[in-house]
């Protein structure tokens, strides 16, 4: 059998003339051909889809990447790999790169431009900043996501139209209703602490007790917490009778402020205190002493003990002080009062007494109370047209914080039970204005 002929030895002239072609052929055979057969390997689809193996970065690339990432937080090196250190460009490493690292050619005297890779911490910070930028839209601007509902009109043409259309046509509340809603909002404001308003006058029979009851019932209607009214009248006050009615009060156990004082040290809960209270709806009341022999015995120290007890359970308290400002308990009442209501009438004498009361307060160390007082003029006796009401109001308005007029109302003038249901709308609105002005003095 003839021996195979080696083409390389059979044509030495070609090999001599084309040495470069031979070197290229030998390089291809050495890198890609099968060493046994000398043929090129078959390329399969798997070989095409699979990426070539990654080689370790060169030391020069590592130095440039480390220098670019220097301001950012350092990355954790993969397990089993050597840490990458930052080397200044002016001081290249003294040792040569390891044999496993392939050198990357760079321009002489210049460092390769490699963009810094974002670290995990920087990406987390960017996401947190993006969420923080979106959060105020949900928290501070809910109107961007929920359509505001127009308030429902009550009464009048707007309310009738709303009811006829089943809510399909809503013109919103009228200006008067918006004013009423604003008064309700002012009355119902949440308070931090307990506050006391004293109602006083120098003359009896001008609406002091009826104002206390009417304003107390109004506070109870609009506030979330019930108010408390204290009868500190030394002349057998009738605060509870005006709030409950004479017949109902007589049927109840007639516990008074004197009974409360005897057991004040043993009261440690609202349940225990309720035994000495009377209730006109949500208005809680402490009755005054009815016995003439002891009705004027309440001292300033005793009133302060009552006030301290009440402050632990009620945020708003009204104190009916009776007539005058010089009786025994008055010093303690004025000392603990946060603001005052000065009751007056449209009679010339009533207006003069109200002004005298304010001057007396300013001259005896209660100037702030006088300046922030609310003067309430009640048209209890329906004075004749000869009385200049505007002149009386101008006479008093300049020396107090606010002046409010209560129109004539038989539900107040008869001296009996005072209930909001039977009062005229103008009277109820006046009591709402007084209640709102009281709370304004607390905040």
């Amino acid at each position: 059998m003839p021996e195979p002929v080696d083409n390389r030895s059979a044509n030495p002239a070609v090999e001599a003339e084309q040495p470069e072609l031979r070197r290229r052929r030998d390089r291809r055979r050495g890198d890609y051909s099968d060493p046994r057969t000398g043929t090129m390997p078959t390329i399969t689809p798997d070989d095409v889809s699979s990426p070539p193996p990654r080689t370790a970065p060169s030391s020069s690339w590592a130095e440039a990447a480390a220098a670019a990432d220097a301001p950012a937080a350092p990355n954790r090196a993969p397990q089993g790999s050597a840490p990458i250190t930052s080397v200044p460009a002016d001081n290249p490493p003294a040792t040569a790169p390891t044999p496993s690292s392939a050198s990357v050619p760079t321009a002489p005297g210049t460092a390769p431009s490699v963009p810094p890779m974002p670290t995990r911490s920087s990406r987390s910070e960017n996401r947190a900043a993006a969420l923080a930028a979106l959060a105020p839209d949900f928290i501070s601007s809910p109107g961007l996501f929920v359509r505001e509902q127009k308030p429902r009109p009550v009464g009048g043409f707007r309310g009738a139209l709303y009811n006829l259309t089943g809510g399909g046509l809503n013109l919103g509340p009228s200006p008067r209703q918006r004013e009423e809603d604003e008064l309700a909002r002012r009355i119902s404001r949440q308070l931090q602490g307990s506050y006391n308003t004293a109602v006083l006058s120098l003359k009896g029979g001008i609406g002091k007790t009826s104002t206390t009851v009417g304003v107390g019932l109004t506070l109870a209607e609009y506030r979330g917490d019930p108010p408390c009214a204290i009868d500190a009248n030394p002349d057998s006050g009738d605060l509870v009778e005006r709030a409950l009615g004479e017949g109902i009060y007589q049927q109840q156990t007639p516990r008074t402020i004197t009974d409360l004082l005897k057991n004040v040290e043993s009261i440690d809960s609202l349940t225990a205190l309720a035994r000495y209270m009377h209730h006109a709806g949500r208005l809680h009341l402490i009755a005054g002493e009815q016995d003439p022999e002891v009705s004027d015995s309440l001292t300033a120290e005793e009133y302060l003990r009552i006030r301290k007890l009440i402050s632990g359970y009620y945020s708003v308290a009204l104190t009916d002080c009776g007539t005058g400002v010089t009786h025994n308990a008055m010093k303690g009442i004025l000392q603990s009062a946060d603001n005052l209501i000065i009751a007056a009438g449209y009679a010339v004498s009533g207006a003069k007494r109200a002004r005298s009361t304010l001057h007396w307060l300013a001259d005896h160390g209660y100037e702030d109370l006088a300046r922030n007082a609310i003067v309430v003029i009640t048209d209890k006796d329906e004075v004749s047209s000869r009385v200049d009401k505007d002149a009386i109001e101008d006479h008093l308005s300049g020396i107090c914080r606010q002046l409010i007029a209560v129109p004539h109302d038989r539900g107040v003038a008869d001296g009996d039970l005072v209930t909001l249901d039977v009062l005229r709308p103008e009277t109820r609105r006046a009591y709402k204005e007084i209640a709102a002005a009281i709370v304004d003095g607390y905040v």
Side-chain angles (χ1 to χ4, degrees), residues 383-405:
V383 296
S384 66
S385 59
R386 293 188 301 108
V387 177
D388 191 347
K389 296 182 180 180
D390 294 336
I392 293 176
E393 293 177 2
D394 294 340
H395 181 71
L396 295 173
S397 60
I399 57 176
C400 62
R401 174 164 62 92
Q402 190 170 353
L403 186 143
I404 301 173

Side-chain angles (χ1 to χ4, degrees), residues 168-212:
L169 185 57
N170 185 356
L171 299 180
S174 63
R176 182 174 180 83
Q177 182 181 340
R178 289 196 293 268
E179 294 176 0
E180 296 286 337
D181 294 342
E182 176 62 18
L183 288 175
R185 184 198 65 80
R186 290 165 57 193
I187 297 171
S188 61
R189 280 174 292 182
Q190 186 177 4
L191 300 175
Q192 303 296 328
S194 179
Y195 300 89
N196 179 34
T197 297
V199 186
L200 55 92
S201 68
L202 289 181
K203 183 181 182 297
I206 56 176
K208 174 183 56 61
T209 301
S210 61
T211 299
T212 304

Side-chain angles (χ1 to χ4, degrees), residues 248-329:
I248 297 178
Y249 175 67
Q250 294 297 332
Q251 296 174 6
Q252 296 183 355
T253 303
R255 295 185 180 272
T256 65
I257 194 171
T258 304
D259 301 319
L260 180 59
L261 280 170
K262 291 178 181 179
N263 303 279
V264 67
E265 299 297 337
S266 62
I267 298 176
D268 56 357
S269 66
L270 184 59
T271 303
L273 178 60
R275 297 177 54 196
Y276 303 90
M277 307 288 287
H278 302 271
H279 301 85
R282 297 181 67 252
L283 175 61
H284 299 180
L285 304 107
I286 299 178
E289 183 56 57
Q290 300 300 307
D291 188 351
E293 295 183 359
V294 297
S295 61
D296 196 25
S297 62
L298 182 66
T299 65
E301 291 75 14
E302 289 174 337
Y303 174 82
L304 290 175
R305 292 170 63 189
I306 297 293
R307 176 70 190 102
K308 182 179 179 181
L309 175 65
I310 295 300
S311 65
Y313 304 101
Y314 296 92
S315 61
V316 177
L318 304 176
T319 301
D320 186 357
C321 302
T323 303
V325 291
T326 58
H327 58 82
N328 295 336

Side-chain angles (χ1 to χ4, degrees), residues 129-165:
L131 292 176
L134 293 175
D137 292 338
F138 292 93
I139 297 174
S140 62
S141 303
L144 298 176
F145 310 97
V146 180
R147 182 178 299 174
E148 183 179 0
Q149 184 176 3
K150 187 181 297 184
R152 175 183 176 180
V154 178
F157 171 75
R158 296 169 182 249
L161 186 61
Y162 180 89
N163 294 331
L164 288 175
T165 59

Side-chain angles (χ1 to χ4, degrees), residues 74-99:
N75 288 334
R76 294 182 57 186
Q79 187 176 3
S81 62
I84 300 176
T85 59
S86 175
V87 180
D90 295 339
N91 299 319
T95 58
T98 57

